[in-house]
């Protein structure tokens, strides 16, 4: 009788090309292979290693990556330029405000000089008329300075129609010689600069028959 070798299947499995060891070596070799395109061009960075590109496709991918990097750099430069623009705008606004305030203060200096001259006088040698005249000079100088800065004095006269945009009615008075809602008297002058009302004039307004 023929004797069968019981170890033969194991040996065949170990030595067979299709065995586990041979298959493992083949898989390891596949994993260790570097994907290369025809002509020696490797796969561009960022693409799966199992994708092979032609020379033209690889060059196109490299060009797109370069354009992407340039776009990112341009965006960063634009953001930096915009931040610098904001900073310069704030600085220019602050300087403009300081220049405007300095212009007003400089215009007020002559008025302050008049005040210095007035208080330097001896009070026991001044009459009431002289004091009143000095105050009038100071008031005129002050109003002239405001007018030079574009400030208009709002001081309506009696009989002028009431304008809610420029006047503030603080009371109503009976005035038979005036039309209703007319200015009777001005209690406090107002001021405007261009279209902006800095302070409305406080006035009394003639009453209408319905108010009586």
């Amino acid at each position: 009788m023929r004797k069968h070798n019981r170890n033969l299947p194991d040996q065949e499995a170990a030595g067979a090309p299709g065995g586990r060891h041979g298959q493992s070596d083949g898989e390891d070799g596949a994993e260790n292979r570097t994907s290369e395109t025809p002509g020696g061009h490797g796969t561009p960075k960022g693409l799966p290693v199992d994708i092979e590109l032609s020379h033209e496709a690889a060059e196109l991918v490299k060009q797109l990556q370069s354009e992407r990097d340039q776009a990112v750099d341009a965006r960063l430069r634009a953001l930096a330029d915009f931040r610098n623009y904001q900073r310069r705008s704030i600085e220019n606004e602050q300087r403009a405000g300081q220049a405007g305030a300095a212009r007003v203060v400089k215009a007020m200096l002559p008025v302050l000089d008049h005040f210095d001259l007035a208080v330097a006088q001896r009070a026991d040698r001044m009459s009431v008329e002289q004091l009143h005249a000095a105050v009038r000079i100071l008031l005129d100088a002050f109003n002239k300075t405001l007018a030079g800065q574009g400030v208009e004095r709002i001081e309506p006269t009696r009989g002028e129609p009431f304008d809610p945009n420029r006047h503030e009615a603080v009371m109503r008075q009976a005035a038979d010689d005036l039309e209703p809602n007319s200015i009777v008297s001005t209690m406090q002058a107002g001021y405007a600069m261009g279209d902006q009302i800095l302070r409305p004039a406080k006035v009394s307004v003639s009453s209408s028959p319905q108010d009586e």
Side-chain angles (χ1 to χ4, degrees):
M1 295 179 63
R2 183 183 300 175
K3 294 183 179 181
H4 296 282
N5 190 343
R6 297 179 179 178
N7 296 327
L8 181 60
D10 294 335
Q11 293 174 356
E12 291 176 354
R20 286 197 300 262
H21 295 293
Q23 182 179 1
S24 176
D25 293 338
E27 292 175 352
D28 293 340
E31 292 176 355
N32 293 330
R33 286 199 304 268
T34 301
S35 177
E36 294 183 355
T37 59
H41 294 280
T43 303
K45 183 180 179 181
L47 293 178
V49 296
D50 56 347
I51 297 179
E52 294 184 355
L53 299 177
S54 64
H55 173 74
E56 293 78 5
E59 292 298 326
L60 177 60
V61 170
K62 291 180 181 179
Q63 179 182 355
L64 293 176
Q65 290 175 340
S66 177
E67 293 177 356
R68 178 204 61 190
D69 295 339
Q70 293 176 2
V72 171
D73 293 339
R75 175 180 177 274
L76 294 177
R77 287 194 299 269
L79 288 175
D81 292 340
F82 180 70
R83 293 191 184 99
N84 292 333
Y85 168 76
Q86 286 182 316
R87 177 179 53 80
R88 289 193 299 268
S89 298
I90 293 175
E91 293 176 353
N92 292 336
E93 184 177 356
Q94 292 175 346
R95 284 194 293 266
Q98 292 175 353
R103 184 175 62 253
V104 174
V105 172
K106 185 177 180 180
M108 296 296 298
L109 293 181
V111 181
L112 293 177
D113 294 336
H114 287 304
F115 275 104
D116 290 337
L117 291 174
V119 298
Q121 303 298 319
R122 292 185 55 176
D124 57 348
R125 295 185 178 181
M126 293 184 65
S127 63
V128 177
E129 292 77 9
Q130 290 175 331
L131 180 60
H132 183 271
V135 173
R136 171 57 63 181
I137 292 174
L138 293 174
L139 180 60
D140 292 342
F142 192 80
N143 286 329
K144 183 178 180 181
T145 301
L146 291 179
Q149 298 300 316
V151 178
E152 173 193 359
R153 185 179 174 93
I154 304 175
E155 197 169 11
T157 59
R158 180 181 174 88
E160 183 177 333
F162 175 77
D163 184 355
N165 296 321
R166 296 169 61 87
H167 309 147
E168 178 184 352
V170 296
M171 63 179 296
R172 285 190 174 273
Q173 285 182 290
D176 297 336
D177 59 327
L178 297 177
E179 294 290 332
N181 294 324
S182 298
I183 303 296
V184 177
S185 62
T186 300
M187 300 178 179
Q188 186 182 69
Y191 295 91
M193 178 178 287
D195 296 334
Q196 182 180 4
I197 302 299
L198 303 178
R199 187 183 73 185
K202 294 183 178 181
V203 298
S204 61
V205 182
S206 60
S207 59
S208 59
Q210 292 81 3
D211 298 331
E212 298 178 355

